Amino acid sequence: MDFNFLYNQSEGETEGDPAEYPQWQQETLNTYMAGFDRVYYGSRAPLFIGNHFEEWNGGIYMKAVDQMIEKVCTKKDVKCVSFRELADWMDVQKPSTLERLRSLDPAQSPDWTSVVK
């Protein structure tokens, strides 16, 4: 969530030290990418990136989201979708499938033969 980065990087100040912006933006992007890699190479669970669409700290959090989108939305088998599309997909899953997926650690790959039946 962008606010968590804001709080930790500039103690909640929305206009922190501009000299720090490049480093903070890279830290944010690196963290988003690490989260993506954890699920992409693991459970393949949906990944949510929370963002307030604010220009905090020079807009670095929006820029990090944009950079992440460019890097991940073109990857094989990745679908970047709206919340509505995700909710619609979840609505058509069997309850047993969702329960099995919820039990996985994000880095744990599911045994798809036992999940999808």
Side-chain angles (χ1 to χ4, degrees):
M1 190 69 166
D2 58 350
F3 182 79
N4 295 330
F5 289 103
L6 172 77
Y7 183 82
N8 286 300
Q9 293 170 333
S10 61
E11 299 177 351
E13 293 296 323
T14 59
E15 295 181 22
D17 181 358
E20 299 289 339
Y21 291 176
Q23 178 182 334
W24 292 344
Q25 182 176 331
Q26 190 61 51
E27 288 172 353
T28 304
L29 176 61
N30 290 348
T31 303
Y32 290 160
M33 291 304 300
F36 172 80
D37 286 345
R38 184 174 165 105
V39 296
Y40 185 72
Y41 297 107
S43 67
R44 302 302 296 257
L47 177 67
F48 163 75
I49 302 296
N51 194 289
H52 286 89
F53 302 99
E54 295 284 347
E55 290 296 313
W56 297 333
N57 286 331
I60 63 172
Y61 307 110
M62 284 297 304
K63 292 173 188 171
V65 169
D66 289 343
Q67 289 175 297
M68 183 181 178
I69 288 169
E70 289 176 7
K71 290 177 181 282
V72 305
C73 292
T74 58
K75 287 189 175 283
K76 182 177 175 24
D77 297 325
V78 170
K79 294 184 188 296
C80 293
V81 299
S82 68
F83 283 119
R84 179 172 195 107
E85 290 170 301
L86 176 60
D88 288 347
W89 177 84
M90 292 177 71
D91 285 345
V92 298
Q93 302 306 306
K94 294 179 186 173
S96 60
T97 298
L98 293 175
E99 187 60 34
R100 170 75 174 102
L101 293 173
R102 283 187 198 106
S103 72
L104 298 173
D105 178 274
Q108 181 183 1
S109 294
D111 172 8
W112 287 108
T113 59
S114 68
V115 173
V116 182
K117 288 190 177 190

